[in-house]
Amino acid sequence: MAKRVFITGATGGIGKACARLYAAQGASLMLTGRDSTKLSELKSQLEDEFAVKVETAILDVNQVDDFKPAFMQVQKQLAGLDILVNCAGTLYESSLMTSKIEDIQLQLQQHLTSSILLAQFASRFMVRNTHGGSMIFISSVVAMQGSAGQSVYACAKSGLHGLTKSLAKELGTQQIRVNLVEPGFIETALVEHYSQDKKQQIAEQTCLKRLGKADDVAQLILFLTSDAASYITGQNFAVDGGLTLTNGTH
Amino acid sequence: MAKLEQLKTAFVTALGIEDSEVTDSLAYSEHAKWDSTAHMVLIAEIESQFEIMLDTDDIIDMSSFAKAKEILAKYELEF
């Protein structure tokens, strides 16, 4: 039976790369995001290329009221759920002194509260499966490494470590696995405002002397949610070309 | 009546208890088998049986079989 996969931020860099890999595997997809036009375009592309079932739903993870309708679509369209991949999120960069309370709360909602809500809804479907399910949250290498000017973002992302490990313990008896992926510097829209010089500088700091691609992250996510990883839960994995190794944090 | 039996079956299946134990007085934390994990399984079973999605407040409030019937009435399910 085809795996049923729910992806947030599906039209973003890592989300889209995941959607393509799952579609190539023949999975049934529920793609969610804020932009209905982009979602429709992605749905058409994937259905044309891979002949798979692709459904879409509007889900802005900043909007608490969007969650339930999106998961009601899962019930109607997919009749269950095996995999949750939470890719939604923005990179907030501001110094401590210039971080506004509205932006701080938004980052916590976007990365942390939303992940808790997603886990609440997704687990209710996964519990019904005899084989359980798999959840992936996306953190960042800055969560453990820290980054000047990204304290709020790093704070929100680091909270996902506690969430992942706690949910792995709480949901493990139901065969629901929960893992965390920590991308390094991945070339997506999130970081397109970085100058070429800055990008080159970061690339030089990695062991592999290059920046990451969305597909580098998606391949790990695909593995972690596959049956091949059925004994892996409560773990965090960096996909960073060795960036944190050279910075001495891992 | 059929829905009441369906709800009872959901409790029996989710909590792993006897049919005769499903009475209005059956309550969360008072029956040894209705713990936090079983509550999650019960919610999933009820949602699956009746094809509904409960609000979080209702999941928290569903503390007995009698309360479950009361809550599900809000979802246009009569018992």
Side-chain angles (χ1 to χ4, degrees):
Chain A
M1 183 182 166
K3 291 275 175 71
R4 298 157 295 184
V5 185
F6 188 105
I7 302 174
T8 69
T11 61
I14 294 172
K16 193 186 286 185
C18 287
R20 287 191 62 80
L21 287 182
Y22 282 116
Q25 299 271 318
S28 298
L29 300 175
M30 177 60 73
L31 306 180
T32 70
R34 291 178 293 182
D35 188 325
S36 60
T37 306
K38 284 184 180 175
L39 284 169
S40 295
E41 285 170 2
L42 182 58
K43 172 184 161 76
S44 298
Q45 285 169 16
L46 295 175
E47 285 179 338
D48 289 348
E49 196 171 343
F50 300 107
V52 289
K53 181 183 176 74
V54 180
E55 303 292 343
T56 63
I58 293 295
L59 172 56
D60 179 348
V61 296
N62 298 321
Q63 303 297 326
V64 172
D65 291 340
D66 277 6
F67 287 75
K68 186 173 177 181
F71 279 92
M72 287 177 82
Q73 287 300 309
V74 170
Q75 175 66 42
K76 281 184 191 160
Q77 308 294 345
L78 303 185
L81 187 65
D82 302 295
I83 294 167
L84 165 72
V85 183
N86 183 17
C87 297
T90 57
L91 170 61
Y92 178 68
E93 294 178 288
S94 183
S95 71
L96 177 65
M97 288 301 132
T98 57
S99 296
K100 294 179 186 169
I101 183 66
E102 297 83 6
D103 294 332
I104 295 167
Q105 288 171 332
L106 194 66
Q107 280 287 292
L108 295 176
Q109 163 65 35
Q110 191 177 103
H111 297 293
L112 267 183
T113 310
S114 71
S115 297
I116 298 167
L117 294 177
L118 287 165
Q120 281 185 329
F121 281 105
S123 63
R124 282 148 66 180
F125 285 99
M126 293 175 182
V127 161
R128 301 178 197 173
N129 304 332
T130 52
H131 59 273
S134 178
M135 298 183 194
I136 297 289
F137 297 116
I138 310 286
S139 181
S140 164
V141 292
V142 306
M144 294 292 109
Q145 186 177 310
S147 178
Q150 296 183 354
S151 56
V152 175
Y153 176 74
C155 167
K157 286 297 195 185
S158 65
L160 292 173
H161 283 251
L163 179 68
T164 298
K165 291 179 191 305
S166 298
L167 289 182
K169 290 185 173 182
E170 187 167 336
L171 303 176
T173 57
Q174 304 303 312
Q175 301 308 308
I176 298 171
R177 299 184 298 106
V178 188
N179 288 295
L180 186 66
V181 170
E182 302 167 304
F185 196 98
I186 308 299
E187 285 204 274
T188 65
L190 223 60
V191 293
E192 65 187 1
H193 59 287
Y194 278 60
S195 68
Q196 280 306 313
D197 283 351
K198 180 71 177 169
K199 286 182 180 178
Q200 187 56 40
Q201 196 182 346
I202 294 170
E204 287 302 319
Q205 289 173 31
T206 69
C207 297
L208 301 179
K209 305 300 177 194
R210 70 168 176 88
L211 300 178
K213 298 189 279 275
D215 216 40
D216 293 325
V217 182
Q219 289 286 0
L220 174 64
I221 292 170
L222 186 71
F223 166 72
L224 287 173
T225 56
S226 74
D227 294 342
S230 62
Y231 202 53
I232 299 173
T233 192
Q235 304 303 310
N236 49 296
F237 300 87
V239 188
D240 65 353
L243 179 66
T244 45
L245 187 67
T246 54
N247 283 338
T249 55
H250 271 226
Chain B
M1 191 61 186
K3 285 199 167 55
L4 182 61
E5 285 308 312
Q6 209 176 342
L7 182 60
K8 277 188 175 181
T9 303
F11 271 77
V12 168
T13 305
L15 306 185
I17 59 178
E18 296 297 323
D19 190 68
S20 59
E21 294 180 272
V22 185
T23 62
D24 281 352
S25 61
L26 176 63
Y28 177 73
S29 286
E30 289 182 18
H31 192 292
K33 289 192 172 176
W34 192 352
D35 58 13
S36 59
T37 301
H39 194 64
M40 179 170 63
V41 177
L42 174 65
I43 295 304
E45 185 67 26
I46 289 172
E47 289 186 329
S48 177
Q49 285 286 329
F50 297 106
E51 296 186 351
I52 56 172
M53 184 151 274
L54 296 164
D55 290 333
T56 304
D57 286 346
D58 290 332
I59 293 172
I60 296 164
D61 288 345
M62 201 173 282
S63 54
S64 69
F65 182 70
K67 193 72 181 173
K69 286 188 289 185
E70 186 186 315
I71 288 169
L72 292 181
K74 290 198 295 186
Y75 295 81
E76 297 176 0
L77 294 166
E78 295 295 331
F79 296 96

